[in-house]
């Protein structure tokens, strides 16, 4: 079911789209598209846990800060 949620997120959300592109094109150990979507499912679980359990608000910049490539670059809106 999460897989069905991640597909529109990758298509519409710029942060998830950027992560999917990073996972599939990174120079060290690039993932196949399906592997990238599963990794994004895990990321979504962690985001939902933070929102529900700890009460944090969703922040695209904070999500992308985990990735070294995006740590210094702002997200284009």
């Amino acid at each position: 079911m999460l897989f069905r949620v991640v597909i529109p997120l990758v298509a519409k959300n710029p942060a998830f789209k950027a992560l999917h592109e990073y996972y599939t094109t990174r120079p060290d150990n690039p993932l196949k598209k399906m592997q990238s979507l599963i990794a994004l499912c895990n990321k979504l679980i962690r985001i939902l846990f933070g929102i529900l359990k700890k009460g944090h608000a969703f922040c695209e910049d904070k999500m992308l800060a985990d990735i070294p490539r995006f740590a210094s670059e702002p997200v284009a809106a």
Side-chain angles (χ1 to χ4, degrees), residues 10-35:
V10 169
K12 304 288 183 183
N13 187 304
F16 276 91
K17 184 183 276 190
L19 274 178
H20 179 65
E21 184 177 329
Y22 169 73
Y23 285 148
T24 56
T25 60
R26 62 186 176 185
D28 296 332
N29 190 21
L31 299 178
K32 295 180 181 176
K33 291 182 181 185
M34 185 66 76
Q35 291 173 324

Side-chain angles (χ1 to χ4, degrees), residues 45-74:
I45 289 172
R46 284 183 256 130
I47 290 169
L48 292 175
F49 179 80
I51 290 172
L52 296 174
K53 180 74 173 180
K54 299 180 180 184
H56 296 167
F58 176 70
C59 178
E60 290 181 358
D61 296 331
K62 188 174 180 181
M63 181 181 87
L64 292 176
D66 296 341
I67 307 299
R69 175 177 161 187
F70 298 110
S72 60
E73 298 176 11

